[in-house]
Amino acid sequence: VVDTPGLELDGNREADDGQRGASPELGEALFRAAGREILEADAALLLLDGAVGATGADDDAGRWLRRHAGATPRVVAFNKCEDGREVSAADWAAAAKHADVGPLLVSALHGDGLPDLAEAAA
């Protein structure tokens, strides 16, 4: 498992401490590194927040992943889906367009759905 850096697509997001996002040069280097790792991976995981639902930033990341994954299967999962939490049909559809596998519902906290996620990523 290789955990690539998060993708800050707009390069302008403010951090919690009020600092501006990464410099454009650093952001571009992180994108290139993530792209190289994805091409060599057995699968690429796009993990979304099930408590929030699919966001515009998730859609941007999904489009980027579709363009850069090549033949690498794209697995999409919603985390924080413990205790029977579901995602809306609109969030499901927004996520599904970026997936070769999924969307899956998982809970890292409780372990729900993790066997399915591990199988999808294998």
Side-chain angles (χ1 to χ4, degrees), residues 13-24:
R13 215 172 91 224
E14 283 199 31
D16 292 338
D17 62 3
Q19 298 295 312
R20 298 301 296 170
S23 71

Side-chain angles (χ1 to χ4, degrees), residues 4 16 59 109 115:
T4 62
D16 292 338
D59 193 53
L109 181 64

Side-chain angles (χ1 to χ4, degrees), residues 3-105:
D3 185 5
T4 62
L7 302 178
E8 190 173 311
L9 295 168
D10 65 9
N12 247 347
R13 215 172 91 224
E14 283 199 31
D16 292 338
D17 62 3
Q19 298 295 312
R20 298 301 296 170
S23 71
E25 296 82 16
L26 178 58
E28 290 168 15
L30 294 175
F31 274 96
R32 284 192 304 276
R36 283 191 305 272
E37 294 294 337
I38 288 167
L39 288 175
E40 296 178 14
D42 294 324
L45 173 62
L46 178 61
L47 189 61
L48 309 180
D49 187 334
V52 173
T55 66
D58 294 334
D59 193 53
D60 291 343
R63 282 195 311 266
W64 182 90
L65 185 59
R66 282 198 334 256
R67 285 193 310 270
H68 292 89
T72 303
R74 298 175 321 271
V75 179
V76 177
F78 284 96
N79 190 27
K80 300 181 184 174
C81 291
E82 52 271 338
D83 301 323
R85 175 181 285 145
E86 298 285 334
V87 297
S88 72
D91 287 335
W92 186 272
K97 67 184 176 187
H98 303 301
D100 294 316
V101 178
L104 304 173
L105 302 179

